[in-house]
Amino acid sequence: MNNRPRFESRELELLRILSRRLELPLKEENQYLFLQKGFEGELHFDRELQNFPDSFIILNDLLLESSNTHFQIDTLLIAGSTLFVFEVKNYEGDYCIENERWYSLPSKIEIKNPLLQLQRCETLLRALLKELGFHLPIKSHLIFINPGFQLYQAPLNIPAVFPPQLKRFLEKLKNTPNVTTSRNMKLAEQLNARCLKENPYMRKPEYNYTQLRKGVPCDSCSSFLTPLTQGYLTCGECGLKEKADTAIIRCVNEYKVLFPDRKITTKTIVDWCGGAFSEKTVRRVLSRKYIIQGHGKYSYYTEQQN
Ligand SMILES: [Zn+2]
């Protein structure tokens, strides 16, 4: 059973929203593509685990702390008396290992050694388990999910699963004798409770309101939607049609991610949507979805009653 669904990280969400409304500097653009690719790889792996029996406990995206150090686990699977740690890599293209260093080819640029990352994770997890009073063996694996990945000169004994091996590996794992024990459930609950909400080391690019493009971005392509006709906005690029209400709520959510400390008012959302909606329409949607605070021109909207 999946006890912890996977979500886009805050950093990825932020970069995705920004990338539509501003030309990201090259460094941030690369970071965005890197995070996006990693996330797609994780979702791919989730799909592979989808038909595992309910007796397996799966925890995704655990951001934990042990010995004052943070660490993240892409996928943790509790099966029988073993903990499986999976670090999913969506690398594509040719790579090689030389003297325990990893390089991407053909330009031979050294990359971070993913094995070290995996080992660090395992060590910190082991310390945390000890602290929580659980004594289970941990088996860690790098999962290379992309069929277009090739690693040259890999030693035979590295704890990695390569694309052509994945089906076999998972089949074997799925057939290991397993029952859900109360101990395993308790461990899952404790790890979930220990999980940090936000990565304290999240990198946040610089941006300000004025430099961002106002309007309603299309939900399925990189274009912007055209003004309202008969209650709908349309995308000139991909043809998507969206109701005013859902488009406004989407824009409010984006605004909240980018400017969490600012107040949501009718005027700010009208401006944020680039004049695609009248004040009347925005006010109607906001007052239905959110709770109004204050009166008259000082009123603003919040998610919950203050
Ligand atoms: Zn579109």
Side-chain angles (χ1 to χ4, degrees):
M1 86 190 71
N2 192 329
N3 298 61
R4 197 185 151 79
R6 190 183 304 282
F7 296 102
E8 221 179 29
S9 70
R10 201 71 171 167
E11 187 178 0
L12 175 56
E13 186 183 25
L14 189 76
L15 287 169
R16 183 174 48 74
I17 296 171
L18 278 180
S19 71
R20 315 281 298 276
R21 296 185 180 264
L22 143 121
E23 188 152 340
L24 287 172
L26 190 63
K27 202 175 138 207
E28 273 81 25
E29 174 74 19
N30 286 338
Q31 172 73 353
Y32 169 50
L33 297 175
F34 174 77
L35 291 176
Q36 177 65 35
K37 192 153 193 183
F39 184 59
E40 280 164 13
E42 288 160 13
L43 293 179
H44 182 170
F45 188 55
D46 292 348
R47 289 195 295 275
E48 299 287 344
L49 295 181
Q50 185 162 272
N51 58 357
F52 265 52
D54 276 351
S55 54
F56 290 81
I57 299 173
I58 299 171
L59 301 168
N60 292 319
D61 263 343
L62 290 169
L63 181 62
L64 296 162
E65 192 179 350
S66 166
S67 327
N68 293 319
T69 312
H70 294 95
F71 64 105
Q72 188 166 3
I73 301 174
D74 289 342
T75 305
L76 183 79
L77 187 137
I78 311 178
S81 56
T82 308
L83 282 187
F84 291 89
V85 171
F86 298 121
E87 172 68 35
V88 183
K89 295 291 181 203
N90 197 7
Y91 296 171
E92 196 171 353
D94 296 334
Y95 289 77
C96 77
I97 302 182
E98 253 179 46
N99 303 321
E100 295 181 20
R101 288 172 187 269
W102 291 56
Y103 300 92
S104 74
L105 298 173
S107 37
K108 214 176 173 195
I109 295 165
E110 184 170 1
I111 61 160
K112 267 194 202 160
N113 182 340
L115 280 175
L116 295 181
Q117 188 191 350
L118 187 73
Q119 280 157 12
R120 173 184 177 273
C121 200
E122 187 179 312
T123 309
L124 291 165
L125 179 64
R126 187 166 289 119
L128 179 61
L129 288 182
K130 200 175 161 195
E131 189 189 317
L132 296 174
F134 291 89
H135 302 279
L136 291 165
I138 303 171
K139 284 187 181 168
S140 304
H141 293 87
L142 288 176
I143 303 286
F144 291 101
I145 199 84
N146 196 312
F149 172 74
Q150 177 68 49
L151 181 63
Y152 294 97
Q153 294 164 207
L156 272 178
N157 57 354
I158 63 167
V161 180
F162 297 103
Q165 302 172 313
L166 187 62
K167 282 259 178 299
R168 250 183 304 143
F169 174 79
L170 293 179
E171 211 46 50
K172 201 174 152 197
L173 188 62
K174 200 163 109 181
N175 291 322
T176 49
N178 179 44
V179 280
T180 315
T181 64
S182 59
R183 177 200 58 185
N184 289 357
M185 285 304 286
K186 208 178 262 172
L187 171 60
E189 275 164 28
Q190 293 204 22
L191 288 174
N192 249 334
R194 282 273 187 145
C195 212
L196 307 170
K197 284 206 173 56
E198 237 168 82
N199 189 340
Y201 302 114
M202 179 184 133
R203 276 176 284 184
K204 206 174 168 184
E206 300 234 345
Y207 55 89
N208 61 54
Y209 184 81
T210 348
Q211 71 185 132
L212 301 179
R213 178 171 171 186
K214 315 299 184 292
V216 186
C218 172
D219 203 17
S220 77
C221 77
S222 58
S223 194
F224 274 66
L225 302 179
T226 54
L228 202 59
T229 32
Q230 295 173 329
Y232 283 91
L233 297 157
T234 317
C235 175
E237 196 75 28
C238 72
L240 178 106
K241 272 190 158 198
E242 189 175 25
K243 269 189 146 177
D245 296 39
T246 56
I248 291 172
I249 290 163
R250 241 175 1 95
C251 286
V252 173
N253 288 337
E254 290 195 355
Y255 186 81
K256 286 199 306 194
V257 172
L258 297 180
F259 305 102
D261 302 326
R262 292 201 192 179
K263 286 190 169 129
I264 309 282
T265 69
T266 305
K267 272 201 162 42
T268 54
I269 297 307
V270 168
D271 187 65
W272 180 237
C273 295
F277 312 103
S278 67
E279 276 198 34
K280 197 179 142 201
T281 307
V282 170
R283 188 173 299 115
R284 175 178 59 78
V285 173
L286 288 178
S287 56
R288 197 185 304 157
K289 174 86 182 167
Y290 303 96
I291 293 149
I292 191 158
Q293 310 284 347
H295 300 284
K297 63 177 182 173
Y298 298 110
S299 62
Y300 60 96
Y301 295 87
T302 57
E303 209 103 42
Q304 268 131 29
Q305 195 88 47
N306 279 353

